Amino acid sequence: MNTKALTISRKEEILEVSARLFKEKGYASTTMREIAENVGIEAASIYHHFKGKDELLHEICFKVARDYTTKMVNIESTYISPIDKLTTLIRFHIQIVFDNVNGISVTNNEWRHLLEPGLSEFKKARQTYENQLGQIINEGIKLGVLKEVDSTVALYTILSSIRWVEAWYKPEKDIHPNIIENNIIQILMNGLQKAS
Amino acid sequence: MNTKALTISRKEEILEVSARLFKEKGYASTTMREIAENVGIEAASIYHHFKGKDELLHEICFKVARDYTTKMVNIESTYISPIDKLTTLIRFHIQIVFDNVNGISVTNNEWRHLLEPGLSEFKKARQTYENQLGQIINEGIKLGVLKEVDSTVALYTILSSIRWVEAWYKPEKDIHPNIIENNIIQILMNGLQKAS
DNA sequence: CCTACCGATCGGTAGG
DNA sequence: CCTACCGATCGGTAGG
């Protein structure tokens, strides 16, 4: 019987524990011994699955980066309006936070500990993503469907609002993800859209 | 001749260097030897001015916390409308970022490395600040001057947008602080205010 | 503010 | 996946 689909591999388990601990204590303050202890193995055993501590961070951050890039490529290839593109991206961006709170948190807060050449690659991917989002905003302004705001400020106001949901969202707080999503969309899009 | 007002004390110099390095590399990854080297003294000499590394972080974070608390107390004691309170606080919040980029960045990103009892004190102060800002938003909704959004989501959308200006603002980018301030105000307040 | 130094901890390796 | 271990580094101290 194939149990691969049902059980989580040790490698994935190490990654999940790492993401949780990196989020709680930060990358630099988390030790290989702590990760091992939380998995239930010895520190040396982690090195059978990963080259080193830096590879753990790399895997976490680049999984998130790939998710964003994939979604952006998909959106870019459609012919929907800038408003719909923006709304879709914001919704996706928020959903990804709920799907992978630890991974997003680590990516937001610990990416600078990535080693080269990963660090440069990560920064480049993020820059590309931000440029593309900026383009959508500029298009919206040019078409007259968005207010004539500074597109850089608009870009980072959107990104900050959604990137940092991770920092305050607590499942026990009893705000449903849908409510968060709808309200952020409402506030940002009302703030940006031109009254018609 | 009194040169105190003109020269920066060694103690302040150590704090400024610490804030810069904590921002660049993170608290845990910054060593006392690095701080000392950037000041131009030996590591052991820092201990003449500060009890330890943790005190450096404490001083940085609590200076920022005091700034916020002071401003909130001042605003609370006025009788201006919720809209004006919000606008004033947002403007202040953004200005403080430009005044003290390193300190704000360290406070945003490294506060969790504070030691007890400082950690609890810091979290309590932040919670109080957020509650008061939330109250202003609730008041605005009740008075019918703000849209009926979820006040928690509105609170953190505002806070994220302004807290993280620090993360993307670069003086060389040539966007004037005033433009950033006006645009964020425009986006957030247009998104939140009820059309009259 | 410096020289000299220490105890603890950490990432990682050898070898099985 | 474990036992045994190492070299390096770090925060901090003693004493001047």
Side-chain angles (χ1 to χ4, degrees):
Chain A
M1 222 164 69
N2 187 352
T3 55
K4 257 189 184 169
L6 296 171
T7 55
I8 180 176
S9 73
R10 175 72 13 132
K11 191 169 177 177
E12 289 169 71
E13 193 185 354
I14 294 170
L15 272 180
E16 281 188 13
V17 168
S18 300
R20 179 165 56 82
L21 293 178
F22 289 167
K23 177 191 174 166
E24 284 168 18
K25 325 187 20 136
Y27 173 75
S29 300
T30 303
T31 69
M32 295 301 269
R33 284 158 180 81
E34 275 177 302
I35 296 170
E37 197 187 340
N38 276 272
V39 172
I41 58 178
E42 290 299 318
S45 305
I46 298 177
Y47 293 88
H48 174 70
H49 301 281
F50 299 94
K51 276 182 210 146
K53 191 184 173 187
D54 51 294
E55 199 181 58
L56 294 170
L57 181 65
H58 186 99
E59 298 264 316
I60 294 167
C61 292
F62 275 81
K63 188 195 175 315
V64 170
R66 276 194 305 273
D67 282 353
Y68 283 128
T69 303
T70 305
K71 191 67 183 180
M72 181 60 88
V73 169
N74 288 345
I75 295 266
E76 289 274 286
S77 68
T78 64
Y79 291 94
I80 58 179
S81 72
I83 299 275
D84 288 343
K85 280 183 182 172
L86 262 185
T87 309
T88 308
L89 278 172
I90 294 175
R91 279 198 193 280
F92 163 76
H93 218 119
I94 296 174
Q95 274 156 12
I96 227 178
V97 171
F98 297 120
D99 285 352
N100 183 15
V101 196
N102 293 340
I104 298 286
S105 174
V106 172
T107 306
N108 275 347
N109 294 293
E110 310 294 334
W111 60 267
R112 72 182 137 181
H113 293 109
L114 286 167
L115 297 185
E116 294 293 5
L119 179 60
S120 294
E121 199 188 328
F122 178 86
K123 288 200 274 191
K124 200 182 142 198
R126 202 183 46 167
Q127 188 61 59
T128 302
Y129 184 88
E130 292 177 358
N131 286 346
Q132 287 168 320
L133 192 47
Q135 267 303 105
I136 297 176
I137 295 171
N138 275 322
E139 208 188 336
I141 296 174
K142 217 170 61 184
L143 290 175
V145 289
L146 293 184
K147 293 202 186 89
E148 289 189 6
V149 291
D150 182 291
S151 65
T152 303
V153 177
L155 168 64
Y156 287 110
T157 298
I158 294 175
L159 279 179
S160 298
S161 300
I162 57 193
R163 254 182 199 159
W164 299 98
V165 168
E166 152 275 307
W168 61 268
Y169 171 68
K170 303 250 155 47
E172 66 270 21
K173 256 191 183 169
D174 210 32
I175 308 186
H176 194 276
N178 274 345
I179 296 190
I180 297 179
E181 203 183 301
N182 291 336
N183 275 277
I184 292 182
I185 291 271
Q186 200 195 331
I187 296 170
L188 292 179
M189 293 310 288
N190 275 336
L192 289 167
Q193 265 185 95
K194 222 171 198 167
S196 55
Chain B
M1 224 165 63
N2 187 352
T3 55
K4 259 190 186 170
L6 295 171
T7 53
I8 179 176
S9 73
R10 174 79 2 139
K11 192 168 178 177
E12 288 170 73
E13 192 186 354
I14 294 170
L15 272 180
E16 281 188 14
V17 168
S18 300
R20 179 165 55 83
L21 293 177
F22 290 167
K23 177 190 175 170
E24 282 168 18
K25 327 188 20 137
Y27 173 74
S29 300
T30 303
T31 70
M32 295 299 269
R33 283 159 179 81
E34 276 176 302
I35 296 170
E37 196 187 340
N38 276 272
V39 172
I41 56 178
E42 290 300 316
S45 305
I46 299 177
Y47 294 87
H48 174 72
H49 301 280
F50 299 94
K51 278 183 209 144
K53 193 183 171 186
D54 51 291
E55 200 180 62
L56 294 170
L57 181 64
H58 186 99
E59 298 262 318
I60 294 167
C61 291
F62 275 81
K63 188 196 176 313
V64 171
R66 277 194 305 273
D67 282 353
Y68 283 128
T69 303
T70 305
K71 191 67 183 182
M72 181 60 88
V73 168
N74 289 344
I75 295 268
E76 290 274 285
S77 68
T78 64
Y79 292 93
I80 59 178
S81 72
I83 300 274
D84 288 343
K85 280 184 183 171
L86 263 185
T87 309
T88 308
L89 277 173
I90 294 175
R91 279 196 193 280
F92 163 74
H93 218 118
I94 297 174
Q95 273 156 11
I96 227 179
V97 171
F98 296 120
D99 285 352
N100 181 15
V101 196
N102 293 340
I104 297 286
S105 174
V106 172
T107 306
N108 275 348
N109 294 293
E110 311 294 334
W111 60 268
R112 71 181 138 182
H113 293 109
L114 287 168
L115 296 185
E116 295 291 4
L119 179 60
S120 293
E121 199 189 327
F122 178 84
K123 288 201 276 192
K124 200 181 142 199
R126 202 183 46 168
Q127 187 62 58
T128 302
Y129 184 87
E130 292 178 359
N131 287 346
Q132 287 168 318
L133 191 48
Q135 269 302 106
I136 297 175
I137 294 171
N138 275 321
E139 209 189 333
I141 295 174
K142 218 170 62 186
L143 290 176
V145 289
L146 293 185
K147 293 203 185 88
E148 289 189 5
V149 292
D150 182 289
S151 65
T152 304
V153 177
L155 168 63
Y156 287 111
T157 297
I158 293 174
L159 279 180
S160 299
S161 300
I162 57 193
R163 257 183 197 158
W164 299 99
V165 168
E166 153 269 309
W168 62 267
Y169 171 69
K170 303 252 156 43
E172 66 270 22
K173 257 191 183 167
D174 210 34
I175 308 187
H176 194 276
N178 274 346
I179 296 191
I180 297 178
E181 203 183 300
N182 291 336
N183 276 277
I184 292 182
I185 291 270
Q186 199 194 334
I187 296 170
L188 292 177
M189 294 311 287
N190 276 336
L192 289 166
Q193 266 186 96
K194 224 171 197 167
S196 57

